[in-house]
Amino acid sequence: MGDACADIARLTAAGHQVVVVHGGGADADRLAAELGRPARRMTAPGGRESRYTDGPALDALAMAMLGRVKPTLLAALSGSGLWPVGLSGLDGGLVTARRNPPARAVVDGVEQVVRDDHSGRIAEVNPALLLMLLRGGFTPVVSPPALDAARGMVNVDADRLAARLAVAVGADWLVLLSDVPGLLRDGADAGTLVERLPHAELDAYLPLAAGRMRVKVRSAAEAFAAGVPHVVLGDGRLEAPVTAARAGAGTVFVPGGSPARGARGRRAGGRTAAGAAAVPGAAR
């Protein structure tokens, strides 16, 4: 985590505005186990597996993200000389969401209609608070949960949150970090990195992505399609992961078969949304 925070500090000192986005799934699982409520998963009829976020699981998720992951990240960023401000989607009307409706799924080996899952999809992002903080020289550090005005606090995916925030603030870059070099053709072989991913051929590359990487690929593609010009799946283990991703390390999204947009001349400022959900030391 320290290397990534120092990297963000250097970018900020060079005139870039950075929004940091993180999750907290692994920490939430550990906290839930400590509280005697181990994390549970559910599987939809199509085979898609996801976190089962009932009321106690939502409490553990919020406590872990806002009470464990975020303070640690804020301390590291402050130690690097930044002025970080910790936020969730609940703050300042930042992120509104729609909670998922009841749906049939398999939970603990039993098929049932799940009515108490507090997960949802992002509906709208209001960037006013982020833009005010960025103009003031602060570094926003954002995480789920978000707010469903009718149904309360909702868990949303951190990678999709990073993508939506990047679009909302008009970011020049979206960097989604993980603990692998990027999208791999063979998940067990780091030498099979997909260095350029033509957005027009996304469907051909999606089968290469499994688990969390599939969500990252889809989130990155959505941001690229919505107008974020430079989108990279980067390696959070590198010494300067955001700078490395901006230099082309990782999987770079491109329009088609053309060179990466990141190869063009870069201006000395601009905004970067860094999805730090998988920076070593922070939980996915």
Side-chain angles (χ1 to χ4, degrees), residues 256-272:
S258 61
R261 297 184 187 187
R264 299 178 186 172
R266 300 173 187 140
R267 54 189 180 184
R271 295 188 179 120
T272 298

PDB file of all heavy atoms in Angstrom, residues 256-272:
ATOM      1  N   GLY A 256      -9.796  -0.086 -31.295  1.00  0.00           N
ATOM      2  CA  GLY A 256      -9.889  -1.220 -32.209  1.00  0.00           C
ATOM      3  C   GLY A 256      -8.518  -1.827 -32.327  1.00  0.00           C
ATOM      4  O   GLY A 256      -7.916  -2.210 -31.337  1.00  0.00           O
ATOM      5  N   GLY A 257      -7.980  -1.859 -33.520  1.00  0.00           N
ATOM      6  CA  GLY A 257      -6.634  -2.378 -33.710  1.00  0.00           C
ATOM      7  C   GLY A 257      -5.578  -1.302 -33.696  1.00  0.00           C
ATOM      8  O   GLY A 257      -4.415  -1.552 -34.002  1.00  0.00           O
ATOM      9  N   SER A 258      -5.973  -0.068 -33.323  1.00  0.00           N
ATOM     10  CA  SER A 258      -5.049   1.055 -33.367  1.00  0.00           C
ATOM     11  C   SER A 258      -4.166   1.076 -32.136  1.00  0.00           C
ATOM     12  O   SER A 258      -4.445   0.418 -31.139  1.00  0.00           O
ATOM     13  CB  SER A 258      -5.838   2.372 -33.449  1.00  0.00           C
ATOM     14  OG  SER A 258      -6.653   2.522 -32.311  1.00  0.00           O
ATOM     15  N   PRO A 259      -3.076   1.885 -32.140  1.00  0.00           N
ATOM     16  CA  PRO A 259      -2.225   2.005 -30.953  1.00  0.00           C
ATOM     17  C   PRO A 259      -3.021   2.539 -29.779  1.00  0.00           C
ATOM     18  O   PRO A 259      -4.046   3.195 -29.948  1.00  0.00           O
ATOM     19  CB  PRO A 259      -1.145   3.003 -31.398  1.00  0.00           C
ATOM     20  CG  PRO A 259      -1.144   2.922 -32.879  1.00  0.00           C
ATOM     21  CD  PRO A 259      -2.561   2.637 -33.284  1.00  0.00           C
ATOM     22  N   ALA A 260      -2.540   2.246 -28.591  1.00  0.00           N
ATOM     23  CA  ALA A 260      -3.232   2.700 -27.386  1.00  0.00           C
ATOM     24  C   ALA A 260      -3.329   4.203 -27.356  1.00  0.00           C
ATOM     25  O   ALA A 260      -2.413   4.914 -27.742  1.00  0.00           O
ATOM     26  CB  ALA A 260      -2.475   2.218 -26.139  1.00  0.00           C
ATOM     27  N   ARG A 261      -4.472   4.693 -26.876  1.00  0.00           N
ATOM     28  CA  ARG A 261      -4.632   6.146 -26.762  1.00  0.00           C
ATOM     29  C   ARG A 261      -3.575   6.738 -25.846  1.00  0.00           C
ATOM     30  O   ARG A 261      -3.179   7.872 -25.992  1.00  0.00           O
ATOM     31  CB  ARG A 261      -6.026   6.461 -26.213  1.00  0.00           C
ATOM     32  CG  ARG A 261      -7.157   6.001 -27.118  1.00  0.00           C
ATOM     33  CD  ARG A 261      -8.490   6.439 -26.553  1.00  0.00           C
ATOM     34  NE  ARG A 261      -9.578   5.857 -27.326  1.00  0.00           N
ATOM     35  CZ  ARG A 261     -10.854   6.175 -27.133  1.00  0.00           C
ATOM     36  NH1 ARG A 261     -11.182   7.052 -26.224  1.00  0.00           N
ATOM     37  NH2 ARG A 261     -11.794   5.620 -27.857  1.00  0.00           N
ATOM     38  N   GLY A 262      -3.140   5.958 -24.883  1.00  0.00           N
ATOM     39  CA  GLY A 262      -2.144   6.436 -23.932  1.00  0.00           C
ATOM     40  C   GLY A 262      -0.811   6.745 -24.590  1.00  0.00           C
ATOM     41  O   GLY A 262       0.047   7.363 -23.995  1.00  0.00           O
ATOM     42  N   ALA A 263      -0.610   6.314 -25.837  1.00  0.00           N
ATOM     43  CA  ALA A 263       0.648   6.578 -26.517  1.00  0.00           C
ATOM     44  C   ALA A 263       0.709   7.997 -27.047  1.00  0.00           C
ATOM     45  O   ALA A 263       1.748   8.471 -27.471  1.00  0.00           O
ATOM     46  CB  ALA A 263       0.839   5.587 -27.670  1.00  0.00           C
ATOM     47  N   ARG A 264      -0.417   8.677 -27.031  1.00  0.00           N
ATOM     48  CA  ARG A 264      -0.419  10.053 -27.515  1.00  0.00           C
ATOM     49  C   ARG A 264       0.200  10.980 -26.481  1.00  0.00           C
ATOM     50  O   ARG A 264       0.385  10.635 -25.328  1.00  0.00           O
ATOM     51  CB  ARG A 264      -1.864  10.495 -27.805  1.00  0.00           C
ATOM     52  CG  ARG A 264      -2.548   9.643 -28.874  1.00  0.00           C
ATOM     53  CD  ARG A 264      -3.969  10.108 -29.054  1.00  0.00           C
ATOM     54  NE  ARG A 264      -4.688   9.230 -29.970  1.00  0.00           N
ATOM     55  CZ  ARG A 264      -5.987   9.313 -30.198  1.00  0.00           C
ATOM     56  NH1 ARG A 264      -6.712  10.219 -29.566  1.00  0.00           N
ATOM     57  NH2 ARG A 264      -6.562   8.480 -31.038  1.00  0.00           N
ATOM     58  N   GLY A 265       0.451  12.219 -26.889  1.00  0.00           N
ATOM     59  CA  GLY A 265       1.001  13.204 -25.969  1.00  0.00           C
ATOM     60  C   GLY A 265       0.085  13.431 -24.792  1.00  0.00           C
ATOM     61  O   GLY A 265      -1.131  13.472 -24.942  1.00  0.00           O
ATOM     62  N   ARG A 266       0.648  13.575 -23.605  1.00  0.00           N
ATOM     63  CA  ARG A 266      -0.143  13.759 -22.403  1.00  0.00           C
ATOM     64  C   ARG A 266       0.060  15.164 -21.863  1.00  0.00           C
ATOM     65  O   ARG A 266       1.169  15.675 -21.852  1.00  0.00           O
ATOM     66  CB  ARG A 266       0.265  12.733 -21.334  1.00  0.00           C
ATOM     67  CG  ARG A 266       0.072  11.313 -21.792  1.00  0.00           C
ATOM     68  CD  ARG A 266       0.657  10.359 -20.768  1.00  0.00           C
ATOM     69  NE  ARG A 266       0.619   8.998 -21.318  1.00  0.00           N
ATOM     70  CZ  ARG A 266       1.579   8.114 -21.171  1.00  0.00           C
ATOM     71  NH1 ARG A 266       2.656   8.413 -20.504  1.00  0.00           N
ATOM     72  NH2 ARG A 266       1.468   6.916 -21.691  1.00  0.00           N
ATOM     73  N   ARG A 267      -0.984  15.732 -21.358  1.00  0.00           N
ATOM     74  CA  ARG A 267      -0.833  17.050 -20.750  1.00  0.00           C
ATOM     75  C   ARG A 267      -0.356  16.894 -19.319  1.00  0.00           C
ATOM     76  O   ARG A 267      -0.438  15.825 -18.722  1.00  0.00           O
ATOM     77  CB  ARG A 267      -2.161  17.799 -20.796  1.00  0.00           C
ATOM     78  CG  ARG A 267      -3.325  17.053 -20.185  1.00  0.00           C
ATOM     79  CD  ARG A 267      -4.611  17.779 -20.490  1.00  0.00           C
ATOM     80  NE  ARG A 267      -5.731  17.077 -19.902  1.00  0.00           N
ATOM     81  CZ  ARG A 267      -6.976  17.462 -20.085  1.00  0.00           C
ATOM     82  NH1 ARG A 267      -7.249  18.502 -20.839  1.00  0.00           N
ATOM     83  NH2 ARG A 267      -7.966  16.802 -19.510  1.00  0.00           N
ATOM     84  N   ALA A 268       0.105  17.974 -18.735  1.00  0.00           N
ATOM     85  CA  ALA A 268       0.743  17.902 -17.423  1.00  0.00           C
ATOM     86  C   ALA A 268      -0.249  17.890 -16.279  1.00  0.00           C
ATOM     87  O   ALA A 268       0.110  17.869 -15.157  1.00  0.00           O
ATOM     88  CB  ALA A 268       1.691  19.088 -17.243  1.00  0.00           C
ATOM     89  N   GLY A 269      -1.526  17.921 -16.537  1.00  0.00           N
ATOM     90  CA  GLY A 269      -2.490  17.884 -15.448  1.00  0.00           C
ATOM     91  C   GLY A 269      -3.453  16.749 -15.638  1.00  0.00           C
ATOM     92  O   GLY A 269      -3.085  15.658 -16.011  1.00  0.00           O
ATOM     93  N   GLY A 270      -4.746  17.044 -15.417  1.00  0.00           N
ATOM     94  CA  GLY A 270      -5.754  16.032 -15.656  1.00  0.00           C
ATOM     95  C   GLY A 270      -6.119  15.267 -14.410  1.00  0.00           C
ATOM     96  O   GLY A 270      -5.514  15.412 -13.361  1.00  0.00           O
ATOM     97  N   ARG A 271      -7.153  14.437 -14.559  1.00  0.00           N
ATOM     98  CA  ARG A 271      -7.666  13.676 -13.425  1.00  0.00           C
ATOM     99  C   ARG A 271      -7.494  12.194 -13.667  1.00  0.00           C
ATOM    100  O   ARG A 271      -7.673  11.712 -14.779  1.00  0.00           O
ATOM    101  CB  ARG A 271      -9.153  13.985 -13.198  1.00  0.00           C
ATOM    102  CG  ARG A 271      -9.420  15.435 -12.791  1.00  0.00           C
ATOM    103  CD  ARG A 271     -10.880  15.632 -12.397  1.00  0.00           C
ATOM    104  NE  ARG A 271     -11.073  17.022 -12.001  1.00  0.00           N
ATOM    105  CZ  ARG A 271     -11.909  17.870 -12.600  1.00  0.00           C
ATOM    106  NH1 ARG A 271     -12.634  17.462 -13.620  1.00  0.00           N
ATOM    107  NH2 ARG A 271     -12.020  19.103 -12.175  1.00  0.00           N
ATOM    108  N   THR A 272      -7.166  11.481 -12.606  1.00  0.00           N
ATOM    109  CA  THR A 272      -7.037  10.035 -12.650  1.00  0.00           C
ATOM    110  C   THR A 272      -7.923   9.435 -11.579  1.00  0.00           C
ATOM    111  O   THR A 272      -7.899   9.878 -10.434  1.00  0.00           O
ATOM    112  CB  THR A 272      -5.581   9.597 -12.400  1.00  0.00           C
ATOM    113  OG1 THR A 272      -4.745  10.125 -13.428  1.00  0.00           O
ATOM    114  CG2 THR A 272      -5.466   8.077 -12.384  1.00  0.00           C
TER     115      THR A 272
END
